[in-house]
Amino acid sequence: SAVISQKPSRDICQRGTSLTIQCQVDSQVTMMFWYRQQPGQSLTLIATANQGSEATYESGFVIDKFPISRPNLTFSTLTVSNMSPEDSSIYLCSVDFEGNGELFFGEGSRLTVL
Amino acid sequence: LAKTTQPISMDSYEGQEVNITCSHNNIATNDYITWYQQFPSQGPRFIIQGYKTKVTNEVASLFIPADRKSSTLSLPRVSLSDTAVYYCLVGGASGGSYIPTFGRGTSLIVHP
């Protein structure tokens, strides 16, 4: 099965700073997504990371706050900018290798903002 | 977007069969139905996927009626390790683009 690696696995950050989360997949994939999961809640889709073009953001999420890069078909980054305690959450990257709705997830990056 | 509705929580006991139903009244013709399992501090894990009728794998069965407006995930003889949150998603039309949106999920607690 595919390996999806996220870095960092967890971090504690100060208010007002930014953190970049990396997602590396061990094979090429077209469809890659970034989710946020707040404590005790379901997953919320932040955006679809498009290779070679700007990410497609869901309602309530904007590029200035969550810039995403997708330089190739195996790698993406999500930056959480100007963080506040409300950004404390688990951030997950996910891929769909065959475009058929079968998603594979990384282990997540647990972010705590003080 | 096809919205999904599931019970928020369910309780069961070891050895019992558990059935979790998901409603998706506005499912599109090409949409698949996919179920995931999530343990605390882990990403969701694929369980099973189907389009119509019944699908069975080594972990679960998925029952989909003819109108496809609902689906039922069946877990045979659950154990304590099946305690998790279960999500159903619809979408993923082959060759098309979709927005994989998670609903609230069903928190299953298996008791000794």
Side-chain angles (χ1 to χ4, degrees), chain A residues 13-76:
Chain A
C13 302
Q14 296 297 319
R15 181 195 301 259
T17 63
S18 299
L19 178 74
T20 295
I21 302 167
Q22 300 179 3
C23 180
Q24 178 73 55
V25 187
D26 66 355
S27 61
Q28 293 187 343
V29 58
T30 300
M31 305 185 76
M32 182 178 285
F33 308 95
W34 285 98
Y35 288 88
R36 178 175 74 182
Q37 187 170 32
Q38 296 178 310
Q41 303 296 314
S42 180
L43 288 80
T44 301
L45 181 63
I46 297 172
T48 301
N50 302 307
Q51 193 270 328
S53 65
E54 190 172 288
T56 304
Y57 290 85
E58 296 304 304
S59 176
F61 297 96
V62 295
I63 188 171
D64 289 347
K65 175 67 175 177
F66 298 100
I68 289 171
S69 77
R70 181 86 192 272
N72 56 52
L73 293 177
T74 63
F75 185 78
S76 178

Side-chain angles (χ1 to χ4, degrees), chain A residues 10 31 33 35 37 41-45 48 58 90 92 94-96 98-108 110, chain B residues 32 34 36 38 41-46 49 87 89 91-105:
Chain A
R10 60 178 61 231
M31 305 185 76
F33 308 95
Y35 288 88
Q37 187 170 32
Q41 303 296 314
S42 180
L43 288 80
T44 301
L45 181 63
T48 301
E58 296 304 304
I90 298 174
L92 297 131
S94 174
V95 301
D96 183 340
E98 300 182 12
N100 63 357
E102 184 176 342
L103 300 175
F104 294 85
F105 286 82
E107 288 301 311
R110 182 182 294 272
Chain B
Y32 290 90
T34 312
Y36 296 87
Q38 186 179 29
S41 300
Q42 295 185 21
R45 181 176 72 97
F46 170 87
Q49 183 182 69
Y87 297 95
L89 273 72
S94 179
S97 62
Y98 72 102
I99 304 171
T101 303
F102 283 76
R104 298 181 65 179

Side-chain angles (χ1 to χ4, degrees), chain B residues 30-67:
Chain B
N30 293 332
D31 284 346
Y32 290 90
I33 300 161
T34 312
W35 284 80
Y36 296 87
Q37 176 191 57
Q38 186 179 29
F39 298 115
S41 300
Q42 295 185 21
R45 181 176 72 97
F46 170 87
I47 301 175
I48 196 167
Q49 183 182 69
Y51 182 79
K52 61 181 179 180
T53 63
K54 176 183 175 181
V55 180
T56 298
N57 62 21
E58 65 277 7
V59 177
S61 294
L62 178 60
F63 298 92
I64 305 169
D67 66 4

Side-chain angles (χ1 to χ4, degrees), chain B residues 16-37:
Chain B
Q16 289 187 335
E17 178 184 78
V18 171
N19 296 307
I20 305 174
T21 296
C22 179
S23 296
H24 28 80
N25 290 319
N26 58 341
I27 187 171
T29 301
N30 293 332
D31 284 346
Y32 290 90
I33 300 161
T34 312
W35 284 80
Y36 296 87
Q37 176 191 57

